[in-house]
Amino acid sequence: MTNTATQLNSYRNQPDAQGHFGQFGGRYVAETLMPLVLDLEKHYRAAKADPTFQAQFDDLLEHYVGRPSPLYYAERLTEELRKDAPAGKGAQVWFKRDELNHTGAHKINNCIGQILLAMRMGKTRIIAETGAGQHGVATATVCARFGLPCVIYMGATDVARQQPNVFRMKLLGAEVVPVTSGAATLKDAMNEGLRDWVANVHDTFYIIGTAAGPHPYPELVRDFQSVIGKEARAQMLSRINRLPDLLVAAIGGGSNALGLFHPFLDDEVKMLGVEAAGYGLDGDQHAASLLGGFPGILHGNKTYLLQDEDGQITEGHSISAGLDYPGIGPEHAWLKDMGRVEYTAITDDEALDAFQLLCRTEGIIPALEPAHAIAAVAKIAKDMDRDQIILANLCGRGDKDIFTVAEKLGVEM
Amino acid sequence: MSARLSSAFPADRAALVCFVTAGDPTPAATPAILDALVEGGADVIELGMPFTDPMADGPAIQAANLRSLAAGTKTADILQIATDFRSHHPDVPLVLMGYANPMTRRGPEWFADAAAAAGVDGVICVDIPVEEDAALGPALRAKGIAPIRLATPTTDAARLPAVLDGAGGFLYYVSVAGITGKQQAVQASIEEAVTRLKASTDLPVAVGFGVRTPEQAAAIARVADGVVVGSAIVDIVAEHGAAAAGPVRDYIRSLSDAIATARATTNA
Ligand SMILES: Cc1ncc(COP(=O)(O)O)c(C=O)c1O
């Protein structure tokens, strides 16, 4: 059970010793995996306390990934949004530029941390799931960098619609296994990852791509991604000697959002997580687990899920393959119920508009995932004062999405 | 604790524990298949609750889950199947097996009440390990339903007492680290594991995962209190669909015959 006294003092010391964030999180795995997740936790605790591990992580992030990523004031976007704002309104929009990372998204931060952990544990084989392919590419990248064999599970539907990333993974030496079970998308790829892991418990490390799964994954993914928020906090203070008023990030499983939010949770900074509303929250064609789902148990943790009245998991929809997951990391479920973070949702069409807006005003092609965050920023900036600051996580670049966007815009390529 | 479950494991031979997925191929077809299991000599019935994401199952049971859901099987149908089974077979223990989310969707108490009312004797929840027992175990125990726990090759001696704490019915030894329907473990490792488990618990120990032939069943029956068969039955249902009852009965008969004489064969 959660210690209420510490909760009141800080939002930053979750989960509890059992991996619970309030009623969420936990270790809902088959008995075969239970000793493994306990072992992983033990090794992670040791790694976290080991300065050598931290130094290795920092070194790779600096020289291989290209960190720190810039903190950028988006002046023309700010001016553009002010055109529709009432007098005196129109907050400044800043971006944390994690789209400039090696491999083009924040996903690599987590993969560096987990592969170092895998090697520390003596594991010799890596597996991962991927939806859009960004986490698969990042995992294949770190496996190439450290010479470990790598199997990526990817839903057959996603394999068909994300061919460039499939080819990237293969170039990097990964084996990409199309998953045909279920709806053949991300959740089915994750099921297959868990099935592989349970059958290869001795040599295999499962690099989960978002802040979800059985404890300690939500915690360790958050910790590795927290480099985003730690840098941003320090950069804000050194550039303008103040913290932002509002943080905004897109949410698939929630790792880039937690990475930005977590270091600020005890500051007086508001936070907004942006889920994918797909065709709209009124139907069932969306991927907004927090706003349109109910608490339940899937993939090792208790969290909000898209599901029917019998607890069968339903398929989400989003234009963004990276947001199209029927669950969400358990820490977000807790932060929502605690009222510390607000959550909203953005439709496909709104994200598509924001995608183009950023291209034209800033010369940056964002991924469709952060385009959801930018759309939310565009809505909210005009209600905030001009001297207020919004910091949004630009967590991925849009190269992977140009085909999807062209199709939506009716452009032949 | 359920008298039906404890008396299902006789001292002189191993019990045959049989799994099928409820609603596969349709909810209407399941009762005849369950009758066939009993007629063939099954001692304990495990009725699988279908789930969209059966991550501990191999291709055969995954496909059975999807067939069942595609046929529109709801939790209410499964409870109705259990209720009807109980009225036709008042003495045969019935266990629900499945995943946490369908079991806890309406709250653990709701599920425990409904299962008890349907005459269910035990529940195996694949993805609620002892660490998360609070999510379902107390509600089951309050209703006299046995929370049946799994032990696996990765459950070491240090962990075993925790796994057994609060367990009921029987201990299900999953003989391979892996998913359902794959290869069977080697006999020597099964014997070693059963000996180790029986030294720690008075619960009957049933062994499963990958058991397919009467010979395999007999070999396990010599050392364990129960033999669990699942994917092999589900394969017959997949092949014969709504007409599966006959072939299922014949197959189960071949297993129960082999088990009945298994210990005598060793002694002879
Ligand atoms: C660029 C980008 N942003 C966001 C996400 C969503 O994941 P998360 O919510 O864990 O950051 C993905 C997932 O593929 C992604 O590629």
Side-chain angles (χ1 to χ4, degrees), chain A residues 20 26-32 34-35 38 181-182 187 191 195 198-199 294 296-297 307-313, chain B residues 50-55 57 62 69 74-75 101-102 105-106 126-127 129 131-132 150 152 154-155 159 177-178:
Chain A
H20 293 138
R27 295 174 281 216
Y28 293 91
V29 293
E31 172 62 21
T32 313
M34 201 55 221
L38 292 171
S181 60
K187 81 176 172 66
N191 291 333
R195 290 184 187 116
V198 92
F294 303 92
I297 296 166
Q307 55 179 320
D308 71 11
E309 72 284 358
D310 274 349
Q312 306 297 347
I313 307 303
Chain B
F51 183 41
T52 39
D53 294 82
M55 54 258 175
D57 284 298
Q62 283 176 43
L69 293 173
K74 310 292 289 177
T75 299
N101 205 47
R105 177 69 173 94
R106 295 175 177 87
V126 176
D127 53 348
E131 280 76 2
E132 303 294 349
L150 303 149
T152 75
T154 60
T155 311
R159 181 171 168 73

Side-chain angles (χ1 to χ4, degrees), chain A residues 242-313:
Chain A
R242 56 165 292 194
L243 295 180
D245 298 284
L246 175 70
L247 304 176
V248 182
I251 295 188
S255 70
N256 88 82
L258 274 177
L260 177 65
F261 295 171
H262 197 262
F264 292 92
L265 279 174
D266 290 336
D267 296 314
E268 273 192 36
V269 175
K270 292 201 164 96
M271 302 180 191
L272 181 65
V274 185
E275 298 194 292
Y279 298 132
L281 287 188
D282 20 317
D284 57 5
Q285 294 299 300
H286 62 76
S289 330
L290 285 178
L291 296 177
F294 303 92
I297 296 166
L298 180 71
H299 292 153
N301 59 146
K302 183 171 184 194
T303 187
Y304 281 82
L305 301 172
L306 299 181
Q307 55 179 320
D308 71 11
E309 72 284 358
D310 274 349
Q312 306 297 347
I313 307 303

Side-chain angles (χ1 to χ4, degrees), chain B residues 4-167:
Chain B
R4 274 188 294 261
L5 260 181
S6 41
S7 55
F9 293 85
D12 57 344
R13 68 163 174 87
L16 177 58
V17 181
C18 294
F19 172 95
V20 286
T21 299
D24 173 28
T26 63
T30 300
I33 295 171
L34 298 183
D35 291 345
L37 294 175
V38 176
E39 287 156 21
D43 299 293
V44 178
I45 306 297
E46 284 182 11
L47 186 60
M49 295 179 65
F51 183 41
T52 39
D53 294 82
M55 54 258 175
D57 284 298
I61 295 179
Q62 283 176 43
N65 278 265
L66 293 181
R67 284 193 298 270
S68 171
L69 293 173
T73 306
K74 310 292 289 177
T75 299
D77 298 316
I78 300 163
L79 293 167
Q80 188 60 49
I81 290 168
T83 305
D84 293 345
F85 179 87
R86 179 51 63 235
S87 67
H88 292 135
H89 304 283
D91 302 324
V92 183
L94 180 68
V95 169
L96 289 178
M97 177 161 188
Y99 291 84
N101 205 47
M103 290 183 182
T104 58
R105 177 69 173 94
R106 295 175 177 87
E109 286 78 18
W110 183 92
F111 179 70
D113 284 355
V120 167
D121 303 287
V123 166
I124 305 175
C125 185
V126 176
D127 53 348
I128 299 189
V130 59
E131 280 76 2
E132 303 294 349
D133 184 67
L136 186 59
L140 294 176
R141 285 186 289 270
K143 286 285 160 185
I145 296 177
I148 295 165
R149 295 262 170 77
L150 303 149
T152 75
T154 60
T155 311
D156 60 21
R159 181 171 168 73
L160 188 57
V163 169
L164 292 167
D165 185 25

